[in-house]
Amino acid sequence: MSETRSPHSELGAFLKARRAELTPAEVGLADDGTLRRVPGLRRDEVARLATMSTGYYTRIEQGRLPASATALASLVRALRLDEAQRTYLYELAGQMPAAPRRRPAHKVRPSVQRMLDGLSHLPALLLGRYDDILAWNAAATALYRDFGELPARKRNYTRLLFLDPMMRDLYVDWEDAGRISAARLRMETAGNPDDPRLAELVGELTVRSPEFHEWWNGRIVTDLSHGTKRYHHPLVGPLTLDCDTWASPDDPHIRLMVLTAEDGSREDEALRILSSWNTTPAPTRTTDTPRD
């Protein structure tokens, strides 16, 4: 570094060099077909990936604004920096890098899986932090899809709701479901702003889903534990089901979600029919949480 160059200007030069090394395809951005005047990513693309405004990122890169710890963590993720690059970035910003918060994987006890399977024709999911799908029963497979076909890192309820066309088509009130899911995820950021798993999930959804980007930036939060979900299943038609969730006494980040219908109702009969068509029990899982 030149002796006359300030740390802030060197930080800007470092950010510019790193974004020049990445292509839109590498970070999941679609090519908009316009002529690119700069190699690699543009400032507005970095800002999108880091979930900040273009003006805010531009001022950081130009050395006109010090970067906060939250902004630095977002830029580390957006620019795919390795540990050495991350350390250097924080040193230029005059901050000590916080150690990434790596949380232990959730463990699903066999007894919990037996409880889910015992709910018979009632779809049930065990959801972990950030709505990661930890376990499910055969009825949930019949209603939604076979979650076991997905890699663990993609087995997330919010991610599927926004990015899986099958899930999106299943919901009659998809926009309401999406807003609530985004609001629940936003609620969890308060206590875990630097969690790498959360940053990865929010970054992907912000880039790939315009609706999530809009609702996330609305900063709406909720902790709803019950409600009604309306579906249109390709095999049994419309379903209006009651949805209730309970927090685990062992870990408040783990929730049991169960869908029910009044005994003898058309919906209850439809759930029984779906369950009879999918009688293979869900496999027992002991550690299914995505690792950081």
Side-chain angles (χ1 to χ4, degrees):
M1 178 170 55
S2 168
E3 292 183 1
T4 61
R5 173 173 282 185
S6 70
H8 286 305
S9 63
E10 175 61 19
L11 184 146
F14 180 69
L15 291 173
K16 186 174 181 180
R18 296 290 73 77
R19 67 179 171 89
E21 294 176 339
L22 296 171
T23 65
E26 287 178 305
V27 294
L29 293 174
D31 186 351
D32 59 12
T34 60
L35 180 65
R36 305 185 72 82
R37 294 182 294 175
V38 297
L41 299 178
R42 298 189 296 255
R43 284 172 176 163
D44 65 296
E45 291 170 332
V46 174
R48 284 179 59 195
L49 291 167
T51 62
M52 63 180 65
S53 72
T54 302
Y56 182 61
Y57 173 74
T58 298
R59 290 194 293 275
I60 292 174
E61 189 178 284
Q62 292 178 342
R64 296 188 287 122
L65 183 72
S68 67
T70 300
L72 290 174
S74 296
L75 290 172
V76 167
R77 168 181 50 80
L79 295 171
R80 312 289 181 87
L81 301 187
D82 60 27
E83 279 302 307
Q85 293 169 333
R86 174 176 176 269
T87 299
Y88 183 62
L89 177 68
Y90 274 84
E91 287 178 349
L92 289 174
Q95 299 193 38
M96 290 294 292
R101 299 182 64 182
R102 301 193 181 277
R103 298 182 176 276
H106 287 308
K107 295 184 182 297
V108 179
R109 297 190 303 274
S111 59
V112 174
Q113 185 64 59
R114 290 196 296 271
M115 177 186 69
L116 295 178
D117 295 336
L119 291 172
S120 181
H121 68 291
L122 301 178
L125 299 172
L126 193 69
L127 302 173
R129 255 181 227 101
Y130 319 133
D131 278 351
D132 284 332
I133 300 171
L134 307 179
W136 59 94
N137 63 4
T141 297
L143 176 62
Y144 292 111
R145 58 168 302 157
D146 186 355
F147 301 113
E149 295 178 345
L150 300 172
R153 296 197 71 80
K154 295 185 178 181
R155 208 178 292 155
N156 177 276
Y157 188 86
T158 301
R159 184 185 185 280
L160 291 171
L161 189 62
F162 281 94
L163 302 184
D164 187 331
M166 290 172 55
M167 287 280 283
R168 187 167 181 144
D169 291 343
L170 181 64
Y171 279 82
V172 174
D173 303 317
W174 180 84
E175 288 196 1
D176 288 342
R179 284 192 181 93
I180 291 172
S181 194
R184 278 198 54 82
L185 195 60
R186 168 66 77 174
M187 186 86 175
E188 296 205 47
T189 64
N192 309 290
D194 298 324
D195 190 320
R197 167 63 181 158
L198 178 61
E200 177 189 44
L201 178 62
V202 171
E204 180 185 21
L205 291 175
T206 299
V207 169
R208 296 184 59 187
S209 171
E211 296 94 343
F212 181 86
H213 185 273
E214 176 186 350
W215 298 332
W216 181 259
N217 286 341
R219 288 173 169 76
I220 300 170
V221 295
T222 185
D223 59 354
L224 283 175
S225 61
H226 61 88
T228 300
K229 292 184 181 293
R230 297 172 61 211
Y231 305 95
H232 192 281
H233 197 278
L235 296 179
V236 295
L239 294 169
T240 300
L241 302 175
D242 292 321
C243 177
D244 292 274
T245 60
W246 295 269
S248 166
D250 300 325
D251 185 340
H253 295 289
I254 297 180
R255 296 175 297 120
L256 172 65
M257 183 181 93
V258 181
L259 298 166
T260 63
E262 185 177 351
D263 285 345
S265 65
R266 193 199 69 80
E267 280 83 358
D268 183 61
E269 182 61 27
L271 289 179
R272 293 179 186 276
I273 291 172
L274 277 178
S275 181
S276 70
W277 288 342
N278 187 50
T279 56
T280 303
T284 299
R285 287 157 295 279
T286 56
T287 305
D288 250 359
T289 300
R291 294 184 181 276
D292 298 329

